[in-house]
Amino acid sequence: NRLLRHTGLLDTDDSGVPEVPVSADDTPEVLNKALSGLSSRWKNWWVRGILTLAMISFFFIIIYLGPMVLMMIVLCVQIKCFHEIITIGYSVYHSYHLPWFRTLSWYFLLCVNYFFYGETVTDYFFTLVQREEPLRILSKYHRFISFALYLTGFCMFVLSLVKKHYRLQFYMVSAYTVGFLLFIVPISCVICNDIMAYMFGFFFGRTPLIKLSPKKTWEGFIGGFFATVVFGILLSYVMSGYRFFVCPVEFNNDSNSFTVDCEPSELFQLQDYGLPPVLKSITGWTTVKLYPFQIHSIALSAFASIMGPFGGFFASGFKRAFKIKDFANTIPGHGGIMDRFDCQYLMATFVNVYIASFIRGPNPSKVIQQLLALRLDQQLHIFNSLKAHLTEKGLLPALEEAA
């Protein structure tokens, strides 16, 4: 390392951490010629704007193609983000000759995806899973298989430890396990907040917000907040009216295909809400019709505007630690995929916790799955208990008359 630093082949700062080579300008030549007469500030504005519109259009196309395509795109984005992080790590630490660095990184990512996607497939595609014997076995022992895979990686990590680099290797292994849960409304709120905060900051920004991101301003932060809350309410109103967006993907045995059709829950049905006295005096209305999900969207939008940017600040600190501007140069004017999804980490975790705490109830498919795993006498006992309960509530006679 001393020889490499002396010859200039390995750049380091005062702390001894190697620097990642700075990527060259990745702006397409067509845009460079078209915007050659503009200042660098306005040139960057136009490049970011054009590529932002292109990404939004691509996002709408993905939504149109359906949930299965969206799931695959989410997986691809996750893999690309992980690749960008691992590439930075390898560029910095390859000189330490750590064995299995990239192999273990990708292996742990595979384990995490197998665990989370396996749980999702089992919950939502229960009928399809039960039809195929191999899938039924994988579903029954899913958590044991996941643990076995993780244990194998754990043993590989222990065997890869190198003397004098223990602390570095234990520090790096904490970044291996990454999982993502993304939903359209939260993603859209984060995108809206990112765009509007940039717009407000570009035209009205005067007061610096945080030292980690010198270009962030209080004007952009506050403007992005109000714009995102309004956007979240409007987007939720539009999307709640379409079953395509509110119904889960299910496997239909009759058509032998995946379908998106259901009776929307109360969360996606218009209801009357009374207005506060102040708003009554201003509007003259006593009630207003809203989807209950619009109320939840306010919480999601507020989190995306207030706490979501801290994911970006964390990424800025990470990049400063390695003395790089962007994670990659995949998207001109924006950096890498990771640079566009840095705010999604906190948002994805919040959405998962929020849905589990305030929205999602017991999963009927999972209950049925657990019931079918019982012995026949246990299933019969539960059937008789459920029958007695429905009879006591007066629901069973009504169901029998309807039949």
Side-chain angles (χ1 to χ4, degrees):
N1 288 348
R2 291 177 181 173
L3 178 61
L4 290 174
R5 285 194 293 268
H6 179 72
T7 56
L9 296 178
L10 179 63
D11 294 328
T12 61
D13 59 9
D14 294 336
S15 62
V17 178
E19 298 181 10
V20 179
V22 179
S23 57
D25 182 18
D26 55 350
T27 306
E29 189 62 29
V30 176
L31 288 179
N32 275 328
K33 290 182 178 180
L35 305 174
S36 59
L38 300 177
S39 64
S40 59
R41 183 168 181 262
W42 280 101
K43 178 182 177 181
N44 181 63
W45 190 89
W46 277 105
V47 170
R48 288 177 64 94
I50 294 171
L51 270 297
T52 296
L53 292 176
M55 287 188 288
I56 292 175
S57 302
F58 181 64
F59 183 60
F60 280 123
I61 293 174
I62 293 171
I63 295 174
Y64 174 77
L65 293 176
M68 299 302 294
V69 175
L70 179 60
M71 183 185 300
M72 295 303 299
I73 293 297
V74 169
L75 178 61
C76 292
V77 169
Q78 174 191 359
I79 293 174
K80 185 64 174 70
C81 290
F82 194 79
H83 171 260
E84 291 176 0
I85 295 177
I86 293 302
T87 299
I88 292 174
Y90 184 75
S91 299
V92 172
Y93 296 116
H94 75 280
S95 60
Y96 290 95
H97 304 292
L98 302 180
W100 305 344
F101 172 78
R102 287 187 292 189
T103 302
L104 280 173
S105 301
W106 288 107
Y107 179 81
F108 277 110
L109 179 67
L110 174 64
C111 292
V112 171
N113 274 289
Y114 176 79
F115 175 76
F116 283 110
Y117 281 96
E119 293 273 304
T120 302
V121 170
T122 301
D123 289 346
Y124 289 98
F125 306 135
F126 174 74
T127 305
L128 176 62
V129 170
Q130 292 300 311
R131 278 176 41 180
E132 304 292 336
E133 182 64 22
L135 293 179
R136 187 158 59 245
I137 294 175
L138 290 175
S139 172
K140 183 177 181 179
Y141 301 106
H142 174 70
R143 295 205 170 189
F144 180 81
I145 296 173
S146 300
F147 178 75
L149 290 172
Y150 184 83
L151 194 61
T152 302
F154 177 80
C155 294
M156 290 171 62
F157 168 72
V158 172
L159 294 174
S160 72
L161 290 174
V162 178
K163 191 176 181 179
K164 297 182 180 180
H165 298 312
Y166 292 156
R167 180 183 296 181
L168 173 63
Q169 288 181 280
F170 275 102
Y171 168 77
M172 285 159 47
V173 77
S174 63
Y176 286 161
T177 53
V178 181
F180 300 89
L181 290 171
L182 301 176
F183 299 90
I184 294 176
V185 169
I187 288 177
S188 301
C189 288
V190 172
I191 293 173
C192 174
N193 179 256
D194 193 27
I195 294 174
M196 298 310 298
Y198 177 78
M199 296 292 289
F200 276 94
F202 185 87
F203 290 105
F204 309 108
R206 296 293 182 272
T207 312
L209 176 63
I210 187 171
K211 291 183 178 180
L212 279 174
S213 296
K215 294 183 179 180
K216 305 289 185 182
T217 63
W218 275 103
E219 291 81 3
F221 184 78
I222 296 172
F225 169 78
F226 287 105
T228 302
V229 171
V230 173
F231 172 79
I233 295 174
L234 295 177
L235 180 65
S236 299
Y237 180 83
V238 174
M239 293 182 63
S240 296
Y242 294 90
R243 294 188 179 185
F244 179 81
F245 296 112
V246 303
C247 292
V249 181
E250 296 180 346
F251 185 80
N252 191 315
N253 277 322
D254 297 330
S255 61
N256 199 33
S257 62
F258 294 104
T259 59
V260 183
D261 189 25
C262 67
E263 184 63 30
S265 65
E266 294 182 358
L267 191 66
F268 304 107
Q269 295 181 10
L270 285 172
Q271 298 182 17
D272 291 322
Y273 290 90
L275 291 176
V278 177
L279 293 179
K280 284 182 182 179
S281 61
I282 296 176
T283 61
W285 302 339
T286 56
T287 61
V288 62
K289 284 187 175 294
L290 293 172
Y291 292 102
F293 183 68
Q294 287 182 271
I295 309 299
H296 295 293
S297 73
I298 297 176
L300 297 176
S301 302
F303 187 91
S305 303
I306 298 174
M307 299 304 299
F310 279 86
F313 300 152
F314 177 86
S316 296
F318 182 90
K319 289 183 286 187
R320 277 174 172 259
F322 290 97
K323 299 186 180 299
I324 57 175
K325 180 183 178 182
D326 299 312
F327 284 98
N329 57 356
T330 308
I331 310 172
H334 292 269
I337 299 296
M338 185 69 183
D339 292 283
R340 291 300 88 214
F341 283 83
D342 50 10
C343 297
Q344 299 288 355
Y345 295 132
L346 288 178
M347 192 67 197
T349 305
F350 174 74
V351 168
N352 185 31
V353 173
Y354 187 88
I355 290 177
S357 303
F358 302 106
I359 298 179
R360 181 185 295 155
N363 190 331
S365 298
K366 201 160 190 175
V367 173
I368 294 175
Q369 175 188 355
Q370 294 172 342
L371 288 175
L372 295 179
L374 300 175
R375 300 193 310 269
L376 292 178
D377 60 318
Q378 293 174 322
Q379 294 181 25
L380 184 60
H381 174 73
I382 293 176
F383 170 77
N384 291 329
S385 300
L386 183 60
K387 180 180 178 181
H389 173 75
L390 293 176
T391 303
E392 181 183 349
K393 294 292 184 180
L395 295 175
L396 192 58
L399 291 174
E400 291 177 348
E401 291 175 6

